Amino acid sequence: MSTTLAGLTPVCRLADLAAERGAAALVDLPDGTQVQVAVFRLHDDEVLAVQQLDPYSGANVMSRGLVGTRGGEPTVAGPVYKQVFALRTGACLDAAGYAPVEGHDGDLVAYPVAVADGVVHVGPPARP
Amino acid sequence: MVAQRLVEALRARDDAGTWHVDVFAEEPRLPYDRVQLTKYFEARDADDLALGDRSLWADPLVTLHRDVKVEAIDREARTVTDRLGRTHPYDELVLATGSYAAVPPIPGTDLPGVFVYRTIDDVAALRGWVEQKRAANPARPVRGAVIGGGLLGLEAAGALKALGAHATVIQFGSHLMDVQTDLGGGQALARLINAQGIGVRCSSATQVMRPHRRTGHVGRLEFADGGRLDVDVVVLATGVRPRDELARAAGLEVAPRGGAVVDLACRTADEHVHAIGEVAAVEGVCYGLVAPGYAMAEVVVDRLLGGQATFPGADTATKLKLNGVDVASFGDAHARSEGSVEVVWADPVAGVYKKLVLSDDARTLLGGVFVGDATPYASLRPMLGATLPGDPSAYLLPEGAGAAPQLELPDDAAVCSCNNVSAGTIREAVTQHGCTDLAGVKACTRAGTTCGSCLPLVKKIATAELEKAGITVSKALCEHFALSRAGLFEAVRVAGLHTFSEILDRFGQGGRGCDICRPVIGSILASLGNGHVLAGEQATLQDTNDHVLANMQKDGTYSVVPRMPGGEVTPEGLIVIGEIARDFGLYTKITGGQRVDMFGARIEQLPLIWKRLVDAGFESGHAYGKSLRTVKSCVGSTWCRYGVQDSVGMAVRLELRYRGLRSPHKLKLGVSGCARECAEARGKDVGVIATEKGWNLYVGGNGGFSPKHARLLAEDLTDDELVRTIDRFLLYYVRTADRLQRSAAWLDDVEGGLDGVRAVVLEDSLGIGADLDAAMAEHVAGYEDEWKAVLDDPEKLARFSSFVNAPTTPDPDLAYVPERGQKRPATPAERGVLVAGPVLTVREPQPEEAR
């Protein structure tokens, strides 16, 4: 990986993640805040991360959703009400007839990820 | 029936809740379907005849007074008085009292053993009498006679035959069903009925019924021509008379042949009193069929809501199957129209009689009669009054003798006469309302929801419309698999595949699956015995709940349900559960399936909780899976005064046998120890009810969104027969049902319906019985407790961490408040702004590690 690691926080080893499932991580951002992030290891060992908070239930559960693809693009399904989100962008692709909990955006925040020497790093979102 | 329809239509249309309806019923039952009365012999259960959705009677704007006959109407005061002497005020009154069975003026109709055929009680009394007569003289068959050769008489004769009695139909007129068919049709019908072992005697006037010398019961019929017939039981089926006594007593006009006279708005001379159904004489004419009665109910509802509907006149077309013989007629069956011509096809050898009545130029269809083969009825009846393309005889020739022209029904052609649905309405359901299958069209239009005889035609019209719109009804699971679940199951089984990647390579359409197909394949692999559901790649297929073997709740914590087979639990077991709930701060509740649910367990606590449960002898309850949940039972013959079999013992045996079985949807079973049915087994996918001789097996019940009563599959089974039958039923369902299809919906869809399933599981009609038996034996032998296996495997245990970089740190956002001595999740208002984190934590994380 050639991605710069500046500003990214090491979270776990790649080997700690099961393929085609997610895991939750506590990530300290450079601004001093701590966020819960859902980290997913895909079939080809690419790692992607989105917010752990499910905007449709308000619970911190996104890491426990099912991983799949839509038109070849990786997705995760919300564990509570089964929305489908694009893992690369966080965009909600199918709201399954639900509206997000009040005060939440229907899309997920995607976090940049870099894997270096078998260690997964997660950084602050490009636009908070 | 028409009153039920009136209430249903009113509640569906009266959005503002303007009307409150009191319904007074003389019988102690919910309204039931008299048209299907003969079915009562098969089902022996009044519930199977229930009409419509019973939640109608739970509507706060509807009050059903059962067993409360109204005795008088005071039109001045606008009140009715019931049999208990209570008065009830009304704004508008609707008479829907129906009719009673007519008793012909023949001496002897009051003898014991003479019955009418009108209500469930009549039918039950008739059955009791026949059984009693058989017991009194088992050496010879019980001899029955039916007076009246119309529709009802033939049904009654069929019922007698079904009870094992001899039956002879006595018809005063020249031929059977003389209202609906002509002489030729009636004669063909008599031959077919004869061939069923039912005697037919036409042009016979019964003069007197004589009592038996010794018993005083009915014993002999004597006819005007001097003939005699010895009998043990007589059923009177000589027609019905309107029950208009309330209208008479209230001073309302009554037609010469009975029935409260109403106008086309179904209103009597008193503007606040209406009459519908068989008691109503619309402009002097009474209708003895259900469809006109339904139409009248709709008219009154429309008027109550301020509309201007009028009774459109009645379609007296009839199509039925009598003792396996098709009979249908419509329009001018007797060719009474001036100058009409008849085209007849008669084949006495094959037992077929078909006739069309046409206008004098032989082009316009005026009516028809079909006996023995009613195939042309469905497509021809809607053409009544229209010009028939081509040679009329082409419609009557046997199939294959020359193709009849394809008929395109006009939009205004009535397809479902019970609910007055036209072909155009069915087409609109597809084109305007987006229905894509028969079920959708039925729900949208109500076509085919009453007698069901038009369903093939409804399906044909809907399918043609879908094809026109370019829609092929796809069975594909999702974008990754073009197969249906059942197709995929067979494919995986036959190809002997064992991993998701193999299945994707072999049958996939590209991509890595999704939340639809992954759990389906997870379930298929589990049903086919591929080891632990969290082993290797299978773990990636499990839905959120199965992946951690617990049920996720709204705040992301889980509930934990240990198995309690048959709802049985020891005091020690209860104490362990209580201690665990207390130590981990879990909310506890009894489930509907007779076990204990513990809520609020965090993901990282699950293995700690289950370690203690497994050590105490508990195992997974699979509350999280599309799999066997529970086998509910009543206490049965071991303790109960009324129990006739050991229902708990059987429930435990079944639950231990099927635990861990993965299926297309959740599976629930129930076992009751006697007919009182305290286990509510008929609300389950598989319901078992004890009889004196063994067990009755019911299938296809469920609670939930659209509750269904399970239907009888087999009677009086021994323990081992019961288990084998359930084995096959469950595996046949597991293999062929659609994704998330409960057994009730599957029974509607599967080839041959309930009868088809009975043939497969009891008679092995597909020759797969041994295969199903072997597969179930493999399931039983291969069972292991999923939770114990997780506790023994460090790799699987690693999945139960809260954070990959802080495995035992609780989710900091969880917050609870106390309620009724336990905890519950805080509401957003109680916790302030959600994203700001917890403002209220009532319980510190428990020191469970210190255990």
Side-chain angles (χ1 to χ4, degrees):
Chain A
M1 286 273 170
S2 59
T3 316
T4 168
L5 298 179
L8 273 61
T9 314
V11 165
C12 61
R13 292 174 303 141
L14 180 64
D16 294 334
L17 300 175
E20 301 197 281
R21 295 264 15 164
L26 287 169
V27 178
D28 294 311
L29 296 178
D31 65 2
T33 58
Q34 191 183 57
V35 289
Q36 295 192 30
V37 171
V39 185
F40 299 88
R41 175 177 171 180
L42 304 184
H43 184 59
D44 60 3
D45 286 348
E46 182 181 2
V47 180
L48 296 170
V50 293
Q51 73 189 45
Q52 169 71 342
L53 191 120
D54 170 11
Y56 290 81
S57 66
N60 295 313
V61 293
M62 285 313 305
S63 62
R64 301 176 219 166
L66 271 169
V67 176
T69 60
R70 280 246 176 142
E73 280 301 299
T75 58
V76 63
V80 183
Y81 300 118
K82 311 296 173 197
Q83 288 74 27
V84 177
F85 302 92
L87 274 178
R88 287 189 203 285
T89 63
C92 181
L93 304 177
D94 181 355
Y98 285 81
V101 173
E102 211 179 315
H104 291 285
D105 191 83
D107 295 330
L108 304 177
V109 174
Y111 290 84
V113 179
V115 182
D117 298 328
V119 176
V120 178
H121 296 69
V122 176
R127 288 187 302 277
Chain B
M1 294 178 73
V2 296
Q4 188 270 346
R5 167 56 64 92
L6 180 120
V7 177
E8 193 178 86
L10 186 61
R11 289 310 307 128
R13 290 181 53 187
D14 181 16
D15 296 329
T18 326
W19 292 96
H20 179 277
V21 202
D22 281 282
V23 180
F24 295 88
E26 180 177 15
E27 292 186 65
R29 303 189 155 80
L30 288 179
Y32 60 91
D33 191 348
R34 283 189 216 281
V35 176
Q36 308 283 343
L37 201 53
T38 307
K39 262 200 186 164
Y40 179 65
F41 284 111
E42 301 160 18
R44 300 197 164 215
D45 187 340
D47 282 345
D48 282 357
L49 301 182
L51 276 170
D53 187 344
R54 52 178 56 214
S55 66
L56 181 64
W57 308 111
D59 192 307
L61 288 174
V62 178
T63 310
L64 176 65
H65 306 265
R66 292 196 242 181
D67 196 12
V68 180
K69 187 186 172 191
V70 166
E71 303 275 8
I73 304 167
D74 183 340
R75 293 202 279 131
E76 197 93 324
R78 279 204 242 162
T79 60
V80 295
T81 306
D82 68 27
R83 68 170 177 87
L84 303 170
R86 296 174 304 196
T87 59
H88 306 265
Y90 66 82
D91 294 309
E92 300 291 329
L93 178 67
V94 181
L95 298 173
T97 47
S99 55
Y100 59 87
V103 177
I106 302 171
T109 52
D110 54 348
L111 290 171
V114 181
F115 296 88
V116 295
Y117 197 83
R118 180 77 191 155
T119 65
I120 285 185
D121 288 340
D122 294 338
V123 174
L126 175 63
R127 186 172 70 202
W129 182 268
V130 169
E131 281 166 3
Q132 184 192 327
K133 281 285 169 190
R134 181 180 303 118
N137 192 349
R140 62 163 173 81
V142 178
R143 300 160 305 184
V146 178
I147 314 270
L151 204 143
L152 198 61
L154 293 179
E155 280 218 8
L160 281 175
K161 196 180 152 243
L163 290 172
H166 276 180
T168 303
V169 177
I170 317 292
Q171 168 72 322
F172 181 78
S174 62
H175 60 275
L176 295 176
M177 289 188 68
D178 51 7
V179 176
Q180 293 88 2
T181 74
D182 61 348
L183 184 61
Q187 286 171 342
L189 181 57
R191 277 192 297 274
L192 291 166
I193 296 285
N194 251 178
Q196 312 257 327
I198 294 174
V200 179
R201 216 188 142 110
C202 289
S203 307
S204 284
T206 310
Q207 275 193 321
V208 63
M209 302 183 190
R210 301 268 186 216
H212 189 274
R213 274 195 315 274
R214 191 163 38 78
T215 60
H217 300 164
V218 68
R220 172 178 293 174
L221 302 183
E222 294 182 6
F223 304 109
D225 63 4
R228 294 171 168 194
L229 185 69
D230 287 338
V231 293
D232 302 304
V233 56
V234 173
V235 181
L236 302 176
T238 51
V240 295
R241 299 283 177 272
R243 290 199 58 175
D244 53 15
E245 63 271 19
L246 278 173
R248 280 177 200 272
L252 293 165
E253 189 194 348
V254 170
R257 298 185 63 186
V261 173
V262 295
D263 59 17
L264 287 176
C266 298
R267 198 159 47 199
T268 65
D270 180 332
E271 61 172 337
H272 299 296
V273 181
H274 315 255
I276 58 175
E278 292 181 320
V279 74
V282 184
E283 300 200 309
V285 181
C286 286
Y287 296 91
L289 293 171
V290 68
Y294 282 169
M296 294 180 215
E298 300 281 352
V299 167
V300 170
V301 166
D302 189 67
R303 294 269 169 168
L304 289 177
L305 298 174
Q308 290 298 316
T310 54
F311 182 62
D315 179 356
T316 52
T318 316
K319 173 175 184 285
L320 57 151
K321 213 177 189 69
L322 280 169
N323 312 322
V325 179
D326 282 323
V327 183
S329 83
F330 65 97
D332 180 12
H334 296 274
R336 293 193 177 113
S337 312
E338 195 165 342
S340 58
V341 298
E342 299 171 68
V343 179
V344 178
W345 166 267
D347 181 351
V349 180
V352 176
Y353 177 89
K354 294 185 260 193
K355 181 181 84 171
L356 293 184
V357 180
L358 301 152
S359 60
D360 50 7
D361 61 357
R363 291 185 57 82
T364 306
L365 182 65
L366 300 179
V369 176
F370 305 96
V371 174
D373 171 21
T375 329
Y377 170 86
S379 52
L380 283 173
R381 189 191 61 86
M383 299 298 286
L384 184 63
T387 303
L388 276 189
D391 177 2
S393 60
Y395 299 97
L396 301 183
L397 292 174
E399 228 163 284
Q406 278 297 310
L407 292 175
E408 171 83 354
L409 286 178
D411 272 348
D412 59 356
V415 172
C416 170
S417 47
C418 297
N419 294 294
N420 196 21
V421 183
S422 67
T425 308
I426 291 165
R427 292 190 179 112
E428 270 169 27
V430 173
T431 55
Q432 315 276 320
H433 302 291
C435 299
T436 52
D437 55 16
L438 184 61
V441 172
K442 278 172 72 179
C444 178
T445 63
R446 291 170 70 193
T449 55
T450 302
C451 79
S453 68
C454 63
L455 278 178
L457 186 57
V458 175
K459 185 174 184 182
K460 206 169 135 191
I461 297 172
T463 308
E465 212 55 37
L466 283 167
E467 279 169 2
K468 260 187 231 166
I471 299 167
T472 37
V473 186
S474 170
K475 288 234 159 194
L477 209 49
C478 60
E479 69 176 60
H480 306 103
F481 290 94
L483 294 163
S484 67
R485 180 195 173 276
L488 198 54
F489 194 109
E490 251 342 83
V492 170
R493 191 174 73 89
V494 172
L497 304 181
H498 301 286
T499 69
F500 179 63
S501 288
E502 283 171 14
I503 297 169
L504 261 185
D505 285 349
R506 185 79 174 268
F507 301 111
Q509 312 267 305
R512 291 294 301 171
C514 63
D515 58 311
I516 307 288
C517 60
R518 279 182 180 256
V520 167
I521 290 169
S523 166
I524 291 172
L525 288 175
S527 296
L528 289 171
N530 282 282
H532 200 279
V533 294
L534 299 183
E537 201 186 33
Q538 273 197 73
T540 73
L541 305 178
Q542 306 306 331
D543 220 332
T544 306
N545 288 349
D546 297 77
H547 190 239
V548 293
L549 311 178
N551 292 48
M552 184 183 278
Q553 303 300 324
K554 64 190 288 185
D555 66 350
T557 63
Y558 292 87
S559 76
V560 172
V561 188
R563 186 169 296 289
M564 292 181 183
E568 212 175 51
V569 59
T570 62
E572 290 72 24
L574 277 177
I575 289 167
V576 167
I577 286 177
E579 286 173 348
I580 291 172
R582 183 193 61 208
D583 293 350
F584 287 86
L586 305 176
Y587 167 84
T588 53
K589 190 171 188 314
I590 308 294
T591 71
Q594 300 188 329
R595 43 196 194 174
V596 181
D597 208 342
M598 295 177 271
F599 291 78
R602 299 192 306 272
I603 189 168
E604 72 275 13
Q605 292 177 315
L606 290 173
L608 303 164
I609 292 169
W610 271 103
K611 173 81 171 70
R612 288 178 60 178
L613 285 169
V614 168
D615 285 349
F618 284 105
E619 57 181 24
S620 169
H622 294 101
Y624 44 81
K626 304 292 179 226
S627 57
L628 177 84
R629 297 287 174 84
T630 67
V631 183
K632 186 176 175 179
S633 70
C634 69
V635 76
S637 60
T638 47
W639 286 90
C640 176
R641 287 176 291 158
Y642 301 111
V644 295
Q645 303 283 354
D646 176 13
S647 49
V648 180
M650 179 52 75
V652 170
R653 177 173 170 187
L654 295 177
E655 187 155 345
L656 295 181
R657 185 168 181 82
Y658 303 126
R659 63 187 168 180
L661 181 69
R662 255 45 184 206
S663 50
H665 209 309
K666 61 187 172 187
L667 276 174
K668 296 183 177 183
L669 276 63
V671 183
S672 275
C674 80
R676 285 171 182 74
E677 238 285 71
C678 296
E680 297 166 325
R682 290 196 61 200
K684 309 294 179 204
D685 296 279
V686 174
V688 177
I689 301 177
T691 69
E692 298 282 349
K693 298 181 207 155
W695 306 96
N696 282 357
L697 173 58
Y698 294 82
V699 294
N702 59 239
F705 192 68
S706 57
K708 289 264 165 35
H709 260 158
R711 296 187 281 159
L712 185 63
L713 185 74
E715 285 181 286
D716 295 328
L717 301 171
T718 64
D719 287 10
D720 289 343
E721 284 168 352
L722 175 72
V723 169
R724 196 186 69 161
T725 309
I726 300 176
D727 282 358
R728 291 183 178 183
F729 173 81
L730 288 178
L731 280 184
Y732 188 38
Y733 163 67
V734 166
R735 289 188 177 185
T736 59
D738 213 345
R739 166 182 173 264
L740 299 184
Q741 187 177 41
R742 287 292 295 263
S743 60
W746 171 72
L747 274 179
D748 287 341
D749 268 12
V750 72
E751 178 90 29
L754 180 64
D755 290 336
V757 169
R758 189 178 288 124
V760 171
V761 302
L762 290 172
E763 293 146 30
D764 197 14
S765 61
L766 294 182
I768 57 172
D771 182 32
L772 296 178
D773 294 345
M776 187 58 84
E778 204 174 306
H779 162 77
V780 172
Y783 170 82
E784 60 164 354
D785 175 24
E786 285 170 2
W787 260 110
K788 184 170 186 310
V790 166
L791 295 175
D792 293 344
D793 180 353
E795 196 188 321
K796 294 191 181 85
L797 269 178
R799 303 213 173 93
F800 294 85
S801 55
S802 50
F803 298 100
V804 66
N805 54 355
T808 57
T809 303
D811 177 352
D813 291 346
L814 296 173
Y816 297 92
V817 294
E819 188 168 270
R820 294 187 294 277
Q822 301 200 65
K823 75 173 183 183
R824 67 159 169 81
T827 65
E830 285 164 338
R831 44 189 307 155
V833 182
L834 243 164
V835 286
V839 294
L840 183 66
T841 303
V842 291
R843 229 176 207 292
E844 289 304 311
Q846 292 298 303
E848 60 266 354
E849 286 84 358
R851 180 211 163 219

